[in-house]
Amino acid sequence: MDSVAAVRRFNRTVTQRVGALDDRYMARGRPLAQARLLWEIGPGGAEVAELRARLGLDSGYLSRLLRTLEGDGLVTVGPAGRAGGDGRVRVAALTDAGRAEWAELDGRSDDFARSLLAPLPGRRQERLVAAMAEVERLLVASLVVIEPCPPGDPRARVCVRSYARDVSRRFDGGFDPALSRPVHDEELVPPAGVFLLASLNGEPVGCGAVKLHPDAPAEIKRVWVSDTVRGLGVGRRVLDELEKYAAERGWTAVRLDTNRALTEAIAMYRSAGYREIEPFNTEPYAHHWFEKRLAQ
């Protein structure tokens, strides 16, 4: 089966079945885009920048949608300073009418979900729900973007701090970055190396770095993935991109070290073709050292 044709056919079926083509979504007199934005704002409100990232909308289109909802008396948009927050941040909030409409949409959405399942016998309902969950996971995985990022960028700092917290919970005796072999920012910028950031809807969810040692194999460091996307193959994608980066610059091998507590990482490295070698550094938290030859 042609993959592209299958995806397009799936998209056509879903958009028709969920009512995405109807300009009166859920019989509420507005198209799906407006209804979805109203839902995402929610009773608690939301920052406009957060909405733009979460929904993947450009600022102009989002502004037009918000103006329409404002004109209908469902939403107000203004600086967060009105509520004592940062006045530079714009926040969208539901009016009383907007909260009533949100509640109506919530109920109708439940009813619509039931109508999708109702024509199917029990076992097929289970199969459909399981298939939907798998499709959702894979679609989320496809939305993760991996790209170079300066190691001093706040998003990179968030990832490195998260990495340190995660390994500290798992290592016997914890983890003190001051005792680990240092990784300096200047080692992770071209041409010395690179820091890769994985993000989902603008939020950092993973990272990894490679140091390009002169006259020695490249060294992979700080591969980390957030729990929010764990199991979606993000770690393997980061690893692949780091290997590709080194190979494209002429390196024929990469090395890394890891702690015995990181069993999932060890399994990933082995499945990716890494073989265990003798220690090549004095990292105090390392129990395993691996190397992989890179295809040129």
Side-chain angles (χ1 to χ4, degrees), residues 79-86:
R82 292 179 182 176
D86 187 342

Side-chain angles (χ1 to χ4, degrees), residues 68-149:
T68 299
L69 293 176
E70 280 188 290
D72 291 343
L74 302 176
V75 169
T76 61
V77 180
R82 292 179 182 176
D86 187 342
R88 296 168 297 180
V89 176
R90 295 175 68 235
V91 172
L94 300 183
T95 63
D96 289 342
R99 284 188 286 275
E101 181 66 13
W102 186 94
E104 181 68 24
L105 280 172
D106 187 36
R108 291 190 180 217
S109 295
D110 283 347
D111 291 341
F112 181 67
R114 295 187 187 99
S115 76
L116 287 176
L117 296 171
L120 301 173
R123 291 298 298 273
R124 292 202 170 191
Q125 288 186 11
E126 294 173 4
R127 287 176 58 193
L128 178 59
V129 171
M132 286 177 166
E134 180 66 8
V135 168
E136 180 187 15
R137 283 174 54 82
L138 293 174
L139 286 175
V140 169
S142 75
L143 290 171
V144 174
V145 176
I146 300 174
E147 57 191 352
C149 177

Side-chain angles (χ1 to χ4, degrees), residues 255-288:
R255 290 176 175 175
L256 57 85
D257 60 71
T258 192
N259 187 280
R260 62 190 170 204
L262 303 181
T263 53
E264 302 94 335
I266 292 170
M268 178 180 71
Y269 298 140
R270 286 179 170 148
S271 68
Y274 285 78
R275 62 179 183 85
E276 197 152 1
I277 60 173
E278 292 298 316
F280 61 84
N281 61 26
T282 57
E283 170 58 53
Y285 292 104
H287 299 104
H288 301 276

Side-chain angles (χ1 to χ4, degrees), residues 3 18 52 62 67 80 151 177:
S3 297
V18 303
R52 185 168 60 246
L62 177 61
R67 284 197 299 271

